[in-house]
Amino acid sequence: MRRNKTGRGGRNLCSGLKRRRRVSPMRTYDSLPPELRGWLAAACLPWSPASALKIWNRSGGSTDIAGALSRLDAIERSMLQKDAGIWHMKDSRTAGN
């Protein structure tokens, strides 16, 4: 790897473009509503804080917490059923071997 003038290899540090701010994933998680954090902690699937918050907001989580949590449950259940179908298909293909 070639070194540039700053001694760091290969990175364009002299660009005039604005740098993209990197948000800490823990800070994003910590800023979620407590009810949503609790749901994420007990979820079966790994969720990104951004996708969970999007569903939470669209489901009216700030005014209808129970409704938003049930919507998240329904989406997760749907994803688990879809995933189970994929694994079932794989098992049936390998069972004949």
Side-chain angles (χ1 to χ4, degrees), residues 7-24:
R8 297 182 187 205
R11 293 182 12 201
N12 186 2
L13 299 176
C14 298
S15 173
L17 298 174
K18 286 186 177 183
R19 290 179 58 152
R20 195 180 288 187
R21 289 197 130 172
R22 294 183 189 260
V23 180
S24 164

Side-chain angles (χ1 to χ4, degrees), residues 10-51:
R11 293 182 12 201
N12 186 2
L13 299 176
C14 298
S15 173
L17 298 174
K18 286 186 177 183
R19 290 179 58 152
R20 195 180 288 187
R21 289 197 130 172
R22 294 183 189 260
V23 180
S24 164
M26 263 330 261
R27 185 173 292 169
T28 304
Y29 181 82
D30 289 342
S31 68
L32 295 175
E35 297 85 359
L36 180 56
R37 277 188 307 210
W39 185 89
L40 284 171
C44 296
L45 297 173
W47 286 77
S48 73
S51 63

